[in-house]
Amino acid sequence: MNLTLYGYDDQWIAVDCGMMIRQDLPNSPLQVPNTDTLQTLGITPAALFITHGHEDHIGAVAWLWPRWGCPIFATPLAAGLLRHKFAEHQLSSAAIEIIEPGDAVERGPFTLRYLSVTHSIPESCAIMMQAGDYRVLHTGDWKLDPEPLIGAPVNAAHFRALAPLDLVVGDSTNAPMPGQSASEGDVAKALATTLEQCKGRVVVSCFASNLARVLAIGRAAHACGRRVSLMGRSMERMVSVARGLGYLDDFPPLVPSHDLGYLPPEEVVIIATGSQGEPRAALQRLAQRRHPFVDLEPGDSVIFSAKAIPGNERPIEQLKKRLLQLGVALFDENNHPELHATGHPAQQELKKLYQWVRPKALLPVHGEARHQQAHQALAEQLGISAPLTPVNGDLILLDNQGLRLETRHPQPPCIVDQNSVRPHPGLEHQTPGARRGSLFLALPVTATETGWWRIGRMMLDTTGASPLDEESFSDWLDEQLEEIEAETLADLRQALQPRLMHWLANHLQHMPEVHLQIMAADMPTEEELDRQ
């Protein structure tokens, strides 16, 4: 749910504007950034710059941009996806301006240049910005892939030319991971080998936005004499937009899903959405034998060419159980890790980039607290100042003294409900009567074999509320998580609600307005636990 604001001389620009899915709420609504702080501070961005077309970077634009009405700069693929979103919202797309990778644009005191990076969607870019004497690199999502399949590898000379920099605002997602991330070229070879071994019908599920993966599947299918079909609205839309831009010119001809029943199973490869166990996605319909045109049979194979997003482990396991009950062979990140590659940099890639651009300071963003802390430790090993691990709502100052936290603004969550953005309703069934202040609690958890476990730091803001003993509150929360039996984040939240209200009623003099957010987090590795 990325939205970053940069200000200089009282003029502001925004970078990215994404959304996330609230898995802990009924019907899994969308959550978008809260813009109340911007209104309170009188901040209206003069332009919105998009780094790439993933939903966590563009998904909230159509909801929030009408409040700003500013120009939107995006590379052709991201711009095409945004135009589709604007059309669905009956918005004019006239504000969307295409900027090619490598181009520069000026907006007020800011000069920004788009620099191509490799990621799991084409046309991903870092943004180099200069305002006054300050030079800042906003990396966006990236990796150093020597064989990205679509697009060229990262040009080291372009980044060396930036050195030295005052600040890098950098991707921490894989900062705890040693070594180098795998290449899309390696995944393509593994997919080709796996498809050759499969006998019946094959379904490959991946993220629709990973066009390099979609291309690799299509090429492997063609080499094996199989026909390709797409399942899922987002997959069809992404391939349509990409083809219009010339990215999939050598992709094999597609078979409409309604014609698949006429083909022998051994001649079919289906590229489907639903790798995260989404209830309405194509793979779920196949697993439940609810697809109108295809029934999976014993001897068919399903390949999960995607990593499980934290919090989705249980829906994915339920999906896999249904597939196994159909007699389907499964290939996933556990038994065939070579069938997926991350889109984010491991430690060797981070070190290489920082050797190129030689930043004075780093602001580690993306990922969770432990990812940011690992990134912070890596920077300090390299002699780069990294004094902060920011959280949502932090207003941070960069000056000739370095980085420092100015203020921290609470960020009550906002969700999309019935085509409008509204504040999260907080906990239901609160004690009636007047409220004294507000309590905002963001609780990162991960699913284990025995229950739920709190990961990293609990985000607690008690604006105007009675004083709270955070240590005893934290210990109590951990005990509740161990006791509660819940299959999903939504079930966990429903079980925790009444217990939380009861504890607060017994420990606070006055009952505040309470807002709870339960977030999915990654389980630390054994190596990270040992270091802690």
Side-chain angles (χ1 to χ4, degrees), residues 114-180:
Y114 274 55
L115 299 169
S116 290
V117 293
T118 46
H119 183 45
S120 51
I121 187 172
E123 298 179 1
S124 294
C125 288
I127 296 178
M128 171 66 198
M129 64 183 76
Q130 181 156 354
D133 295 328
Y134 295 98
R135 294 161 48 78
V136 177
L137 179 68
H138 182 107
T139 69
D141 293 351
W142 66 282
K143 63 186 285 188
L144 297 181
D145 191 335
E147 194 180 357
L149 291 192
I150 295 179
V154 172
N155 188 322
H158 290 170
F159 286 88
R160 287 195 183 101
L162 305 179
L165 294 174
D166 294 294
L167 176 67
V168 168
V169 179
D171 182 357
S172 309
T173 306
N174 279 338
M177 183 188 298
Q180 170 97 19

Side-chain angles (χ1 to χ4, degrees), residues 439-441 443 454 458-460 462 468-480 499-500 503-504 507 516:
L439 185 148
F440 302 101
L441 173 63
L443 188 63
R454 181 166 60 90
M458 171 183 69
M459 305 298 178
L460 181 67
T462 53
L468 177 68
D469 183 343
E470 291 190 23
E471 185 173 351
S472 62
F473 181 52
S474 177
D475 291 342
W476 175 83
L477 272 176
D478 290 341
E479 291 174 3
Q480 302 309 303
R499 301 184 188 205
L500 178 58
W503 191 94
L504 292 172
H507 290 79
L516 171 68

Side-chain angles (χ1 to χ4, degrees), residues 416-440:
V416 175
D417 181 53
Q418 296 181 349
N419 289 326
S420 64
V421 177
R422 63 180 179 86
H424 183 287
L427 292 175
E428 294 85 0
H429 314 303
Q430 298 193 23
T431 306
R435 294 284 177 260
R436 302 288 185 90
S438 300
L439 185 148
F440 302 101

Side-chain angles (χ1 to χ4, degrees), residues 1-2 17-25 28-34 55-56 59-60 63-64 392 411-417 421-422 424 442 516-519:
M1 197 175 59
N2 297 277
C17 187
M19 64 83 176
M20 64 182 288
I21 299 174
R22 284 299 301 273
Q23 298 162 312
D24 62 317
L25 291 175
S28 300
L30 303 182
Q31 181 173 325
V32 299
N34 188 324
E55 285 296 300
D56 60 331
W63 300 106
L64 301 185
N392 290 335
Q411 297 294 298
C414 291
I415 60 172
V416 175
D417 181 53
V421 177
R422 63 180 179 86
H424 183 287
L516 171 68
Q517 179 173 7
I518 300 179
M519 306 175 296

Side-chain angles (χ1 to χ4, degrees), residues 93-117:
S93 59
I96 301 173
E97 301 186 26
I98 290 179
I99 183 168
E100 297 287 346
D103 287 354
V105 62
E106 292 186 7
R107 207 72 191 174
F110 294 91
T111 301
L112 302 98
R113 183 174 297 278
Y114 274 55
L115 299 169
S116 290
V117 293

